[in-house]
Amino acid sequence: MIQTSINEPTPLTSNTSPIVFDTTDLRTRCAFCSNGGWLDYQDGNPIFKLFGNGYTGYYNFNFSCSISSSTPGVIAVGLYEDGILIPDSVRAVTIDAANDYETISFNRKKRVCPRGTTNITVGAVGSVPTPNDPTTPIVTQIPIITNAIFNIARTNQ
């Protein structure tokens, strides 16, 4: 298992930027790449590299944070696998006034291919569907993230 966090307000550079976690709070021995483990990650890097090592991997991804923007509007984050947004991981909130904070979170279990490396990131989502007209997207605002925790745990299924 690995758990990373952000404690200070951190503005992202765009509404499609990955979130860069600055502190690893917890890392079990099996999550070290140098020990033949399943994960390669360094603080300050947005990419969590999962290694299949010939075994089908099942992982739990948990994310929560306080989120805001310097501009009122919709803010969204989601989980990405090899740069592709996993649709059912997207969470969006509407900020009524600049610098108001809302809580956002997701929990996702996912199977990862046993061959090769899978790159996982958490990041801002550039647009979300309009509730009354899903074919018309709402462009999101640039997020400010604080009190964020992201953890990945490998499971048997």
Side-chain angles (χ1 to χ4, degrees), residues 59-154:
Y59 297 88
N60 288 323
F61 302 97
N62 299 296
F63 173 77
S64 67
C65 75
S66 293
I67 193 166
S68 185
S69 180
S70 58
T71 306
V74 175
I75 307 165
V77 297
L79 186 66
Y80 291 81
E81 179 180 350
D82 293 328
I84 298 170
L85 180 63
I86 300 170
D88 56 349
S89 71
V90 176
R91 299 297 182 266
V93 293
T94 300
I95 303 297
D96 294 325
N99 301 314
D100 280 352
Y101 277 89
E102 294 285 337
T103 301
I104 210 167
S105 67
F106 63 76
N107 299 306
R108 180 72 163 85
K109 186 171 191 171
K110 182 139 182 53
R111 179 183 179 270
V112 174
C113 180
R115 288 172 248 128
T117 302
T118 301
N119 296 309
I120 298 293
T121 55
V122 178
V125 177
S127 66
V128 294
T130 302
N132 297 334
D133 182 8
T135 60
T136 305
I138 298 171
V139 175
T140 61
Q141 302 303 316
I142 299 172
I144 300 169
I145 306 290
T146 192
N147 298 324
I149 290 183
F150 179 54
N151 66 53
I152 304 172
R154 188 170 183 174

Side-chain angles (χ1 to χ4, degrees), residues 15-78:
N15 68 342
T16 58
S17 294
I19 297 172
V20 177
F21 297 90
D22 54 20
T23 303
T24 298
D25 302 308
L26 173 66
R27 187 178 208 155
T28 61
R29 184 179 171 119
C30 68
F32 279 100
C33 178
S34 61
N35 282 350
W38 51 267
L39 175 71
D40 182 17
Y41 176 74
Q42 299 298 319
D43 289 346
N45 185 338
I47 300 171
F48 296 79
K49 293 181 181 182
L50 307 179
F51 298 105
N53 295 334
Y55 300 99
T56 299
Y58 295 92
Y59 297 88
N60 288 323
F61 302 97
N62 299 296
F63 173 77
S64 67
C65 75
S66 293
I67 193 166
S68 185
S69 180
S70 58
T71 306
V74 175
I75 307 165
V77 297

